[in-house]
Amino acid sequence: MPELPDVAYFERYLASTALHQLIREAEVRDEGIVEDISGEGLAAAARGRSMEQTRRHGKNLFVALGNGPWLVLHFGMTGFPRYFRRPESRPEHVRILFHLEDGWKLAYDCQRRLGHAGITQDPGGYIERKGLGSDALLADEDERYAALKRRRGRLKSVLMNQEALAGIGNLYADEILFQCGLHPLRRLDELSDRQVRRLSEVTGDVLACAVERNADRDLLPGHYLLTARRRSNCCPRCGTDLEDIKVGQRTTYFCPRCQGRMDAD
DNA sequence: CTAGATGTTAAGGT
DNA sequence: CACCTTAACATCTA
């Protein structure tokens, strides 16, 4: 689930639920997802503080704990936050649980445990250490264009490379390429400046659109590949059957007619 | 039973 | 250096 639009939604979700509440207790139920600190260390950093502000960079969500350190959350492929009160509403795979002053709880749930949580003094430094590029949505147009222009590999790989631009995952990379009419295996260095400019603009547009709709795939426009792929598996523009190939081990959907053709493969 | 699923990372090669 | 491939991580489902 979690790509940039999903994490943007999680950020707003936190803002409307747990933000500004005292954390009475923090429980790490799975040490395995905690990074660079012990479970107790993380719990101790949160206990007695409140979540005061949030910040997102790519797929990472930072939560300021009072005047102290920041909690960093990465959701892997199956992670999400959940604010709940009744035990029946508790999600299935809670890895960290915050008990809040209003009696509700905030869970970090992560079924496949590919996500991680940690503590950092400085989100900027954290982003730098991880080598992340600019946030794919928050970057201004020139910055995004420049970040893409520096690369030369396959378009799909460039978009998914978090060191180029942070936040785009498998699903939205396909969507962006579809909206641009570009084949996922084309190389960035064979595009004209104009095409790279278009790619950059569409990247911003697609992400903004998904964020506006709370990353709910059912609410995306009908001409989006992401919706068509589930409904009919046909191109929403020309009706051709969508094709799927592997690019960098990831399943990639595209319209063979609208997104050009490659020479032999 | 197997393959594959929205994520990253390490290791090795070109 | 920039890029590619493969394998690995953990868990569930089609």
Side-chain angles (χ1 to χ4, degrees):
Chain A
M1 188 203 280
E3 296 187 33
L4 185 155
D6 306 277
V7 180
Y9 170 67
F10 296 161
E11 182 180 24
R12 285 203 302 262
Y13 180 84
L14 278 201
S16 64
T17 56
L19 210 62
H20 306 306
Q21 286 195 56
L22 184 75
I23 299 166
R24 286 202 171 116
E25 183 55 73
E27 270 181 78
V28 172
R29 298 191 171 185
D30 181 349
E31 296 267 340
I33 55 111
V34 180
E35 201 184 45
D36 302 329
I37 189 173
S38 67
E40 181 45 35
L42 188 150
R47 198 174 289 135
R49 290 203 168 96
S50 64
M51 302 183 177
E52 284 304 329
Q53 58 170 313
T54 59
R55 180 175 162 190
R56 183 191 59 71
H57 188 97
K59 301 170 188 172
N60 293 281
L61 181 57
F62 298 93
V63 184
L65 298 169
N67 298 319
W70 295 68
L71 175 68
V72 198
L73 296 174
H74 188 286
F75 298 91
M77 285 212 272
T78 55
F80 60 90
R82 174 95 109 240
Y83 181 70
F84 69 100
R85 179 181 195 110
R86 296 165 23 195
E88 313 85 273
S89 308
R90 184 176 65 86
E92 282 277 311
H93 309 277
V94 177
R95 309 298 175 189
I96 304 178
L97 191 57
F98 299 99
H99 300 255
L100 306 170
E101 66 176 311
D102 66 356
W104 288 59
K105 298 169 177 55
L106 180 72
Y108 166 85
D109 186 290
C110 191
Q111 180 201 92
R112 285 171 58 192
R113 304 170 68 202
L114 293 174
H116 47 83
I119 293 289
T120 181
Q121 300 303 319
D122 165 33
Y126 182 90
I127 290 161
E128 202 169 314
R129 281 195 300 284
K130 294 273 177 179
L132 298 176
S134 301
D135 181 83
L137 179 60
L138 302 177
D140 66 45
E141 177 49 37
D142 288 341
E143 196 180 345
R144 194 163 47 217
Y145 172 81
L148 292 171
K149 193 65 187 165
R150 265 181 238 123
R151 305 281 157 172
R152 44 195 174 75
R154 294 167 168 173
L155 297 181
K156 169 90 178 202
S157 306
V158 169
L159 288 175
M160 287 187 64
N161 184 347
Q162 304 299 300
E163 299 184 8
L165 285 174
I168 303 166
N170 196 32
L171 268 39
Y172 286 97
D174 283 359
E175 187 63 58
I176 290 162
L177 292 173
F178 174 71
Q179 297 297 330
C180 285
L182 291 169
H183 193 291
L185 291 178
R186 288 191 68 182
R187 299 177 53 91
L188 195 127
D189 57 8
E190 73 191 30
L191 298 188
S192 65
D193 287 355
R194 187 195 188 86
Q195 285 176 305
V196 179
R197 177 61 71 184
R198 177 99 206 294
L199 181 63
S200 172
E201 288 168 355
V202 168
T203 294
D205 292 346
V206 165
L207 294 174
C209 173
V211 168
E212 266 173 38
R213 290 161 177 75
N214 289 341
D216 183 338
R217 291 220 265 144
D218 294 326
L219 300 180
L220 293 176
H223 66 279
Y224 266 41
L225 183 72
L226 240 30
T227 45
R229 180 171 134 183
R230 291 191 303 169
R231 275 209 313 269
S232 59
N233 220 41
C234 289
C235 172
R237 191 178 291 141
C238 75
T240 301
D241 285 348
L242 297 177
E243 267 181 36
D244 58 293
I245 56 176
K246 291 285 184 189
V247 182
Q249 303 310 114
R250 311 306 301 276
T251 301
T252 298
Y253 289 85
F254 68 101
C255 170
R257 186 158 162 205
C258 295
Q259 294 177 261
R261 257 147 285 184
M262 295 293 287
D263 319 322
D265 183 282

